[in-house]
Amino acid sequence: MDVFTWIYFIAIVIETAIHTPLNKKRKAEKMSERRITTQEKTLLGLLFLGMLVVPIIYAASNWLDFANYSLPSWAGWAGVVFIAGAIFVFWRAHADLGLNWSPSLEIREKHELITRGIYGIIRHPMYASQWLWVIAQPLLLQNWIAGFINLVVFVLFYLLRVKAEEELMLETFGDQYREYMQKTGGVIPRL
Ligand code: SAH
């Protein structure tokens, strides 16, 4: 494995370490609203494949070698910068969203609209972090399949999810969310 492939898997370990404690805690939460569709479950499964399973196949076997390419080393280091940014944003989003986080669209009984911290700048830091990640991936995993599969799935996921999520937030929080939308950007900070 080359250094950039190693860095990719170290990043996976760091994100797992950030994520696991919160995911355990939130399982005890009572939900008042849950919108999980088959389409969404499928996309979440494909994201898991694109982020973890296919990269493992790429790193541990020679099955995908026919699709390898090779970039100059500055491009690999640019990938490191992007993935470090992804981890930083992921960490802050976890710290600020806390138990209101969900892998899908859920509102808990004690749901709180978070507008502080990184959520005071952008409404979708988790997805911003994933954007940085899918840009980093083809720079670190230099293979047409392992590098790009996550990007392709995430574009689809993002387009469907954000719309449905903002509808749910507007139904739940009304004007409070409308006002919040006016003050913040989606994944890019508003200047
Ligand atoms: N889109 C956000 C949150 C992703 S987690 C991000 O990218 O960081 C998805 C869950 O977060 C959904 O169940 C949604 O109801 C909830 N959510 C989204 N924005 C929120 C906010 N500002 N405050 C509280 N919960 C929020």
Side-chain angles (χ1 to χ4, degrees):
M1 275 201 325
D2 66 89
V3 62
F4 298 122
T5 306
W6 273 110
I7 290 172
Y8 183 84
F9 286 102
I10 291 169
I12 293 265
V13 171
I14 297 173
E15 287 214 338
T16 307
I18 294 171
H19 183 69
T20 306
L22 177 68
N23 196 30
K24 273 198 189 131
K25 252 198 254 160
R26 72 169 280 282
K27 291 212 166 114
E29 286 299 308
K30 290 209 181 74
M31 298 297 168
S32 61
E33 170 83 42
R34 190 171 258 153
R35 292 191 189 167
I36 309 176
T37 60
T38 313
Q39 170 192 286
E40 165 140 316
K41 275 193 209 153
T42 311
L43 282 170
L44 285 173
L46 288 174
L47 280 178
F48 181 72
L49 278 183
M51 190 166 174
L52 189 63
V53 179
V54 177
I56 288 175
I57 294 171
Y58 161 77
S61 78
N62 54 12
W63 299 348
L64 301 179
D65 284 3
F66 67 93
N68 282 349
Y69 54 79
S70 171
L71 297 172
S73 80
W74 65 262
W77 291 109
V80 177
V81 172
F82 276 105
I83 212 148
I87 291 171
F88 176 78
V89 174
F90 190 75
W91 167 56
R92 290 318 311 156
H94 273 71
D96 293 328
L97 191 59
L99 291 172
N100 302 294
W101 178 81
S102 162
S104 43
L105 295 183
E106 291 183 303
I107 300 290
R108 56 186 191 124
E109 279 177 7
K110 294 184 207 145
H111 209 97
E112 186 195 345
L113 175 65
I114 304 295
T115 59
R116 61 174 178 265
I118 197 161
Y119 286 85
I121 306 166
I122 48 177
R123 295 191 296 285
H124 303 296
M126 300 269 184
Y127 308 153
S129 155
Q130 192 66 15
W131 274 117
L132 292 170
W133 186 285
V134 297
I135 293 168
Q137 196 164 327
L139 298 170
L140 296 173
L141 308 180
Q142 299 181 7
N143 178 282
W144 289 107
I145 298 166
F148 286 94
I149 180 172
N150 202 11
L151 175 71
V152 173
V153 181
F154 184 67
V155 169
L156 244 166
F157 171 85
Y158 180 80
L159 293 173
L160 296 166
R161 167 59 82 84
V162 166
K163 198 173 161 287
E165 182 170 324
E166 295 198 331
E167 269 165 22
L168 173 64
M169 295 306 282
L170 281 167
E171 274 172 44
T172 312
F173 295 100
D175 286 343
Q176 215 186 331
Y177 195 76
R178 213 160 283 124
E179 208 176 287
Y180 171 59
M181 286 177 88
Q182 277 158 12
K183 288 191 202 133
T184 49
V187 287
I188 298 167
R190 184 176 284 187
L191 296 177

